[in-house]
């Protein structure tokens, strides 16, 4: 089967690899109907995250179940499914508390690679959610978004405790930040301030529910957020980048007692304990437990209440994955969908 | 009047200073009936926190109101009062959200110094709480504890989301950690693990509600907590020290999705962003908004439901403050009460 392999920074190829097989009785094999490229895939693409050898890529997916292991109970061959980017057993105390992405038996789907025609899904019952009915094309794109970017943006908004009466600031105008805006709106936030200096992203941000745009960054960005919030700072801030600057910007833009939900994969970030101590903010984040939110997100999508699939602004045939990486790297695309 | 002045590491003296006066119409002047020495006073005493000049000390207090400014409405001359170690206006959005210790007009009582016969209390209406009735000696000691160590331990337990069904780990066996145990018990925690290697502190910990004692520290301490919690770690961890080791110990002892409430004043702590990201814990803490809890704590004390005053294991006349500092520094005392 065809799969995306990254050979090194900027070097993405489609190659032929063996079709995966059931390894454990809790596995399923799915035929991937669409995959996509994640902002986090750009870290190795840009050489910031080092890879020692050619690596399979991708962790977002929707597809049709082709085969299930002997212990799989809830998922059947032929089901159309969405799964999280982290496979989880669904039964440990961590999963039951809603932190499936930190399941004690977690398997990152990135280590398997879903930018491929087929994928093995560990812990199929704990990981996959069946979609009933026949999704439209728009719904299908939205379901793919649910697999990571929507689920991650949603978690960020929940971790930031976005809700009625709250002012939410969003640091990062990539797909996750944009869908964090959508999530904050759905959770009832009163005011949503998107930090973005790109006209196209600003337009998407407004379409997802942003009420204000702040173009300044760093200290100037923080000052502008304070200015917009009576000097207090935001109640809730979503950090969807993962750099030192973005994390500091998020913490400093948040009022004491407020909440920072951080989901940008942390790259070289260190948090000064004393600054955190005196900030009085709540910090919570990490790899999003997308599986917690999937049933609700699927319902919102299948009833046309939300349309996160519009975050995909470039759709390419799977064989043109390399162009998809280039487009995202050069910021010509926010989020690339790869279809078979 | 007499006041404690720290001239340098290990050099604490009682000196004569002017009686404070009303400066702003929102001030009150109280006659301090008892003060105490805080674990945080030991940082400059040990030379870890540098001081440039002789410094007034103390931020915990109970007392009788002697004088009020023209704008003070709720507090009257003659009231017996408890206040927080942070003076707060009580009306800004931060105060109203329960984060009085980060009030936009906050004044740290440490900058005023309550180890003295009289103290000026800024924002008297927002800071002080009147105690009705005639407290017994034991209740009086407990009310003094409420001013900081009890309120801080309570905030730590709330920030750690201690409650029914939860296992709470407590890092730090000073007065704050010990009263964090009491708070966790009052909040309904199922199991409370005190990390302590001192027999006297262990006994106090058990008297406040600890169900288990862990003597190991660092990685071994974390391993022991995991062992006691089915491999998962604590749901809630109180960090009441403020060092790199204690903060790491607290984060690592907590399960994904769990909560770390940190109240040890941060000294040279840096948090690795990547470790925090993958830990999946909630981090919240800082200077405790004691004022939020004071009315309830006073009620619990005046109805003899809790007896946090037992944390004072050394009572000295005010003039022997220097011996009090020595006793705490040498860990001969957990918490010293200074009485007039």
């Amino acid at each position: 089967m065809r799969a995306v392999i990254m050979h090194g920074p900027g070097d993405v190829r489609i190659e032929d690899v063996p079709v995966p097989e059931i390894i454990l009785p809790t596995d399923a094999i799915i035929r991937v109907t669409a995959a996509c490229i994640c902002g986090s895939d750009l870290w190795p693409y840009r050489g910031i995250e080092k890879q020692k050898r050619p690596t399979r890529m991708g962790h977002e997916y929707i597809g049709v179940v082709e085969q299930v292991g002997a212990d799989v109970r809830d998922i059947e061959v032929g089901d159309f499914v969405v799964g999280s980017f982290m496979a989880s057993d669904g039964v440990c105390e961590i999963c039951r508390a809603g932190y499936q992405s930190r399941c004690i038996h977690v398997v990152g789907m990135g280590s398997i690679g879903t930018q491929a025609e087929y994928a093995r899904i560990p812990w199929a019952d704990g990981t996959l959610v069946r979609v009933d009915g026949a999704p439209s094309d728009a719904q299908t794109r939205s379901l793919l978004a649910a697999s990571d970017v929507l689920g991650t943006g949603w978690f960020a908004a929940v971790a930031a405790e976005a809700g009625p009466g709250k002012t939410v600031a969003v640091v990062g105008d990539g797909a996750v930040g944009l869908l964090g805006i959508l999530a904050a709106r759905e959770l009832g936030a009163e005011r949503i301030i998107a930090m973005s200096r790109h006209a196209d992203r600003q337009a998407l941000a407004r379409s997802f529910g942003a009420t204000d745009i702040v173009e300044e960054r760093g200290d100037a960005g923080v000052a502008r957020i304070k200015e917009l919030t009576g000097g207090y700072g935001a109640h809730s801030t979503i950090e969807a980048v993962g750099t030192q600057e973005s994390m500091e910007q998020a913490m400093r833009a948040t009022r004491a007692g407020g909440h920072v939900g951080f989901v940008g994969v942390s790259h070289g970030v260190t948090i000064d304990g004393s600054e955190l101590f005196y900030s009085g903010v709540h910090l919570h984040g990490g790899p999003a437990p997308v599986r917690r939110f999937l049933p609700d997100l699927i319902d919102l999508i299948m009833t046309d209440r939300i349309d996160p699939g519009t975050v995909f602004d470039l759709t390419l045939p799977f064989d043109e994955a390399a162009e998809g990486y280039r487009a995202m790297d050069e910021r010509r695309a926010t989020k690339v969908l790869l279809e078979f």
Side-chain angles (χ1 to χ4, degrees), chain A:
Chain A
M1 67 169 188
R2 290 166 297 161
V4 169
I5 310 276
M6 188 178 291
H7 282 260
D11 184 4
V12 166
R13 307 179 202 169
I14 303 288
E15 294 184 0
D16 199 55
V17 301
V19 172
E21 292 174 3
I22 298 281
I23 297 176
L24 293 168
T26 44
D27 290 347
I29 303 295
I30 65 165
R31 177 172 54 81
V32 177
T33 55
C36 48
I37 302 172
C38 184
S40 67
D41 294 333
L42 296 181
W43 293 104
Y45 187 82
R46 290 169 174 163
I48 299 168
E49 222 171 77
K50 303 294 173 200
Q51 290 182 327
K52 288 189 181 147
R53 56 188 72 82
T55 305
R56 289 280 302 274
M57 298 298 294
H59 50 266
E60 300 156 288
Y61 56 97
I62 50 175
V64 177
V65 177
E66 292 275 316
Q67 203 184 340
V68 295
D71 291 349
V72 174
R73 295 281 168 273
D74 303 332
I75 297 295
E76 293 175 20
V77 170
D79 284 350
F80 179 61
V81 291
V82 187
S84 159
F85 66 95
M86 294 293 222
S88 51
D89 68 18
V91 296
C92 74
E93 284 191 28
I94 307 299
C95 282
R96 281 185 285 138
Y99 282 87
Q100 293 91 337
S101 49
R102 308 314 299 148
C103 168
I104 50 165
H105 296 122
V106 75
V107 181
M109 290 304 300
S111 70
I112 287 178
T114 61
Q115 291 167 5
E117 287 181 90
Y118 295 88
R120 182 176 71 87
I121 312 292
W123 307 112
D125 281 339
T127 306
L128 299 172
V129 182
R130 178 177 41 244
V131 178
D132 294 317
S136 66
D137 282 357
Q139 287 169 338
T140 301
R141 299 163 75 87
S142 290
L143 291 168
L144 178 57
S147 178
D148 179 351
V149 277
L150 172 61
T152 295
W154 200 275
F155 171 59
V158 168
E161 299 212 349
K166 300 280 188 80
T167 294
V168 180
V170 181
V171 180
D173 61 0
V176 170
L178 291 167
L179 293 177
I181 292 170
L182 177 150
R185 183 195 63 193
E186 288 300 312
L187 292 166
E190 184 173 303
R191 192 173 184 190
I192 304 170
I193 306 170
M195 304 193 83
S196 172
R197 48 177 59 177
H198 301 88
D200 52 338
R201 308 281 174 116
Q202 291 176 1
L204 261 174
R206 288 201 185 273
S207 81
F208 287 135
T211 54
D212 299 80
I213 303 285
V214 165
E215 296 208 339
E216 294 86 345
R217 287 187 189 174
D219 291 346
V222 169
R224 185 81 187 103
I225 298 278
K226 296 241 169 171
E227 204 178 299
L228 289 169
T229 54
Y232 292 112
H235 298 96
S236 303
T237 304
I238 291 174
E239 193 292 312
V241 182
T243 62
Q244 185 69 26
E245 188 194 15
S246 63
M247 193 67 166
E248 287 178 351
Q249 193 169 310
M251 284 173 58
R252 292 171 188 171
T254 309
R255 66 179 62 195
H259 293 76
V260 177
F262 60 96
V263 292
V265 180
S266 183
H267 281 80
V269 175
T270 56
I271 297 162
D272 181 74
S274 193
E275 175 168 356
L276 177 63
F277 188 84
Y278 291 105
S279 75
V281 303
H282 298 73
L283 269 191
H284 183 48
V290 170
R291 181 63 181 76
R292 185 204 309 176
F293 308 109
L294 270 182
D296 286 344
L297 297 180
I298 291 171
D299 185 55
L300 288 171
I301 290 166
M302 294 302 288
T303 55
D304 291 325
R305 175 105 181 265
I306 59 173
D307 188 16
T310 54
V311 81
F312 291 107
D313 51 0
L314 180 61
T315 298
L316 292 171
F318 183 71
D319 288 336
E320 292 175 30
E323 164 56 15
Y325 275 82
R326 269 194 302 274
M328 277 183 64
D329 177 42
E330 296 163 7
R331 290 181 79 94
R332 285 185 280 118
T334 304
K335 184 79 181 168
V336 174
L337 188 147
L338 300 174
E339 59 182 9
F340 288 95

